[in-house]
């Protein structure tokens, strides 16, 4: 059973539109993270959360919001999608030191 | 600022040959060190945590040793298999709460 799942797995969005990426974990972990992966940049941290109803900014938060309505769910929101946000997005949860990643969402903004 | 530098790929190898991926970092903090691996179509997964104090971390035939003098920790495998084809990331955890700091990744392709 996959412990971190993401939806959708792939999405095409229009510039200026709103996009919501969802993440669900069954690990019972407090910490959850959103990263983006771009060719030439590896993975970079966007937002993270260590408790429901609270989120923190990561290294590249501009243009993104996050929401953590429960321990299991963590969403990434692009209010006004832009071409530069085309990337693969990964969600992760963490135990004492290991992070467990979901399969990723490929977002294309046209 | 904090940075992680690793072998620039792609690296192409034949089965049975050895692999080395070099990684070094710069930070004023005291990071925890990891190697993560990413297979096609999947998210990264932990390969192993690298011990700091003169010990060798290992998993699935891969090994890494931390060099305090050069703040580096290189990934090695003596004899690779086709199933080792993946992208390998050296990764730092700079503090308990925040996320991981990834290197750019090294794509390794192993051919029979």
């Amino acid at each position: 059973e996959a412990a971190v799942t993401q939806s959708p797995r792939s999405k095409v969005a229009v510039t200026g539109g709103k996009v919501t990426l969802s993440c669900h974990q069954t690990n019972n972990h407090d910490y959850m993270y959103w990263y983006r992966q771009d060719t030439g940049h590896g993975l970079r941290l966007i937002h993270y959360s260590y408790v429901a109803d609270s989120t923190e900014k990561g290294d590249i938060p501009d243009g993104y919001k996050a929401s953590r309505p429960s321990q299991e769910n963590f969403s990434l929101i692009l209010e006004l999608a832009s071409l530069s946000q085309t990337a693969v997005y990964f969600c992760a949860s963490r135990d004492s030191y290991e992070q467990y990643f979901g399969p990723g969402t490929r977002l294309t903004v046209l | 600022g904090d940075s992680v530098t690793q072998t620039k790929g792609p690296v192409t190898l034949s089965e049975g040959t050895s692999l080395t991926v070099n990684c070094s970092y710069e930070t004023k903090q005291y990071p925890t060190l990891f190697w993560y691996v990413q297979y096609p179509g999947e998210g990264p997964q932990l390969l192993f945590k690298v011990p700091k104090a003169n010990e060798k971390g290992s998993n699935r035939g891969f090994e890494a040793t931390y060099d305090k003098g050069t703040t580096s920790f290189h990934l090695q495998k003596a004899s690779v298999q086709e199933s080792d084809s993946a992208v390998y990331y050296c990764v730092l955890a700079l503090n308990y709460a925040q996320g991981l700091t990834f290197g750019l990744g090294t794509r390794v392709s192993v051919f029979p």
Side-chain angles (χ1 to χ4, degrees):
Chain A
E1 286 288 341
V4 180
T5 55
Q6 296 183 231
S7 63
R9 292 294 313 277
S10 178
K11 183 172 181 66
V12 178
V14 295
T15 305
K18 182 177 181 179
V19 177
T20 300
L21 307 182
S22 299
C23 178
H24 179 80
Q25 57 112 349
T26 58
N27 293 323
N28 199 34
H29 292 159
D30 290 327
Y31 284 83
M32 295 187 74
Y33 303 85
W34 276 105
Y35 296 85
R36 66 176 280 173
Q37 183 176 45
D38 303 271
T39 303
H41 285 282
L43 279 82
R44 293 179 290 174
L45 179 67
I46 306 171
H47 285 288
Y48 66 100
S49 169
Y50 55 86
V51 68
D53 296 321
S54 178
T55 63
E56 304 291 335
K57 293 181 179 179
D59 298 323
I60 54 164
D62 293 346
Y64 302 94
K65 292 183 180 179
S67 173
R68 181 93 181 269
S70 64
Q71 185 192 41
E72 298 79 17
N73 296 295
F74 191 32
S75 296
L76 186 68
I77 302 153
L78 291 66
E79 295 278 3
L80 295 170
S82 66
L83 295 174
S84 64
Q85 293 177 313
T86 293
V88 180
Y89 291 85
F90 289 98
C91 174
S93 71
R94 196 198 81 193
D95 63 11
S96 57
Y97 67 81
E98 180 174 355
Q99 291 199 11
Y100 300 83
F101 286 81
T105 295
R106 182 174 296 278
L107 175 65
T108 303
V109 183
L110 302 176
Chain B
D2 307 312
S3 66
V4 184
T5 304
Q6 66 179 100
T7 299
K8 183 177 172 60
V11 173
T12 303
L13 300 167
S14 298
E15 272 190 324
T17 60
S18 65
L19 169 68
T20 298
V21 180
N22 296 314
C23 181
S24 61
Y25 67 89
E26 292 185 15
T27 179
K28 294 183 179 180
Q29 302 182 62
Y30 298 93
T32 304
L33 313 175
F34 304 95
W35 282 99
Y36 273 73
V37 60
Q38 185 177 22
Y39 299 101
E42 300 181 10
Q45 58 184 267
L46 179 67
L47 188 55
F48 57 89
K49 178 183 174 185
V50 181
K52 282 287 192 68
N54 300 318
E55 296 177 7
K56 191 172 283 189
S58 64
N59 187 25
R60 303 187 219 169
F62 289 89
E63 296 181 330
T65 305
Y66 171 65
D67 183 335
K68 182 179 180 180
T70 59
T71 60
S72 62
F73 56 112
H74 310 304
L75 182 69
Q76 296 177 309
K77 187 172 186 182
S79 178
V80 296
Q81 302 173 337
E82 193 173 358
S83 58
D84 294 325
S85 297
V87 179
Y88 294 85
Y89 291 97
C90 56
V91 179
L92 310 181
L94 294 173
N95 60 57
Y96 184 77
Q98 284 198 310
L100 302 173
T101 299
F102 282 76
L104 296 186
T106 301
R107 181 175 300 278
V108 175
S109 298
V110 181
F111 294 94

